[in-house]
Amino acid sequence: MAFLQSIAYQPILGFPVIGYLGILSYVLLVITGALMAVAKRRKKRLPMKRHHRFAMVTLAAATIHGILALVVYV
């Protein structure tokens, strides 16, 4: 547990890793949603593979962020 806590608060350019993961998760979530919104506006089919890949990466980043947040407080 101490190892994960040290990773969570490891500073990178003065900001902890857990903060970067939170920001990354949010940005990936916006990109994932925007892929489908842009595809509908352009009336051009966008491969669902791309949307699913972004969704999987978003899920992974958010899960790691959540685990690190829970480890810090447990």
Side-chain angles (χ1 to χ4, degrees):
M1 286 283 217
F3 175 70
L4 288 176
Q5 288 175 344
S6 67
I7 289 176
Y9 283 123
Q10 178 67 37
I12 298 177
L13 299 175
F15 199 64
V17 171
I18 195 168
Y20 283 119
L21 279 173
I23 293 169
L24 177 68
S25 297
Y26 181 74
V27 168
L28 286 170
L29 182 68
V30 170
I31 290 172
T32 303
L35 282 174
M36 289 295 113
V38 168
K40 282 186 178 183
R41 277 192 157 188
R42 292 178 56 195
K43 306 237 191 254
K44 184 179 179 185
R45 296 289 297 168
L46 191 71
M48 284 300 284
K49 275 187 178 181
R50 189 174 299 164
H51 178 76
H52 286 267
R53 285 184 185 151
F54 269 103
M56 293 296 185
V57 172
T58 302
L59 185 61
T63 301
I64 293 169
H65 172 73
I67 287 171
L68 289 178
L70 287 175
V71 165
V72 168
Y73 294 108
V74 172

